[in-house]
Amino acid sequence: MADLLRTWRLELSHDDSSDGPWAPYRIHQPGTTGGLIPWGISRTAEHFYWQVTDGPVDAWPVLAMQVDYEDGWHRYEMTATEFLYRILTDPEFQPYSVAQFPAGLSFEPG
């Protein structure tokens, strides 16, 4: 948890323009509506965010991006729990699925 809060603070401190690394989005500023809240980073430099909206928290979409790829953002209208489930179990859930790899994957809580 502390690492995610540290990541959020660091990303917020570097989010000074609309053409930065999170464009066309911004990092969520507490006390406001809109922006992204980081909630996960993979070992292969994939970053996962909630997009803060006016709706209920459990309806916030997941946005994902792979650093150093020209692919840009991927938006998923699902909870983070469903997103993680799909990563782990659905080989068609590209580009983030690990389900096609042999058994032996592990999970290390942050």
Side-chain angles (χ1 to χ4, degrees), residues 47-85:
H47 292 240
F48 308 115
Y49 299 86
W50 283 294
Q51 183 180 25
V52 178
T53 65
D54 288 330
V57 173
D58 61 353
W60 289 353
V62 170
L63 272 77
M65 70 175 296
Q66 294 177 301
V67 175
D68 297 331
Y69 281 92
E70 299 296 323
D71 227 7
W73 291 96
H74 296 266
R75 181 185 173 100
Y76 301 92
E77 299 292 334
M78 60 183 67
T79 64
T81 306
E82 181 180 351
F83 182 79
L84 291 172
Y85 174 78

Side-chain angles (χ1 to χ4, degrees), residues 98-109:
V98 295
Q100 70 273 20
F101 298 117
L105 298 173
S106 64
F107 174 76
E108 299 172 29

Side-chain angles (χ1 to χ4, degrees), residues 32-45:
T32 66
T33 299
L36 305 176
I37 297 176
W39 60 262
I41 302 169
S42 75
R43 288 187 177 188
T44 55

